[in-house]
Amino acid sequence: MLELLHIALYQWNPHAAPLFLCAALMIGLGIFTSWRTSFNLVGRRFLYIACAVIVWLIGTAMGYLSRTPEIAVMWFRIDNFGVAFISPTVYAFSLAILGRPKTRRTAMLFLLATVMGLWTIRTNHIMVTAIRHSWGYYPTRDIRSLP
């Protein structure tokens, strides 16, 4: 995993800049909202949404910056790990706003998201390779990735 951090594996791509900007704004919004609500349940759950979105945005941006398809695929797998958590975090946030946090159901959704996210990172069943486009690499799927 540390091999992903070598600067030589990346090149500047202006299409990644808006994603980094959105990620920075999202973490700022998540921290600010949580702080303003004194880190109560609603604020913390909003911060969880922000974290999932940040993983998604940074994974995609780093995939765009990658010089090789192998590195891009690894970042897109991390991106999909974050995407797996967006729905459970939005559900948990909605329940917190409604004042009806269902801990067991929420925990099961987070467990399912973890399993799906790890499955995406560890296998080739979801993401096969990345193809170079004008904006950078983008993941592809084929018949093997279908359930």
Side-chain angles (χ1 to χ4, degrees), residues 5-147:
L5 302 178
H6 293 290
I7 193 77
L9 298 174
Y10 304 100
Q11 62 189 3
W12 171 246
N13 183 341
H15 298 286
L19 299 173
F20 285 121
L21 176 63
C22 287
L25 292 172
M26 193 67 194
I27 193 61
L29 181 63
I31 292 171
F32 177 75
T33 303
S34 295
W35 173 72
R36 290 286 293 176
T37 61
S38 301
F39 292 94
N40 68 6
L41 184 63
V42 174
R44 287 192 317 268
R45 298 249 170 116
F46 184 78
L47 183 60
Y48 300 160
I49 294 172
C51 290
V53 169
I54 289 163
V55 171
W56 165 48
L57 291 172
I58 289 177
T60 302
M62 293 304 291
Y64 288 173
L65 295 176
S66 299
R67 287 186 183 269
T68 65
E70 296 80 22
I71 297 299
V73 164
M74 196 59 217
W75 280 109
F76 288 125
R77 287 181 177 163
I78 293 169
D79 149 339
N80 280 344
F81 185 80
V83 168
F85 284 91
I86 292 174
S87 294
T89 56
V90 169
Y91 178 74
F93 175 70
S94 301
L95 289 178
I97 284 179
L98 295 172
R100 301 181 341 190
K102 296 184 172 147
T103 309
R104 184 174 294 161
R105 185 177 297 169
T106 304
M108 291 303 294
L109 287 173
F110 276 99
L111 178 64
L112 179 62
T114 303
V115 169
M116 293 301 295
L118 290 175
W119 183 51
T120 300
I121 288 177
R122 305 292 287 166
T123 69
N124 290 332
H125 295 293
I126 301 293
M127 195 159 317
V128 179
T129 188
I131 294 179
R132 182 88 172 149
H133 295 278
S134 61
W135 64 85
Y137 283 102
Y138 201 75
T140 61
R141 293 147 180 91
D142 69 2
I143 196 71
R144 293 182 298 162
S145 67
L146 297 175

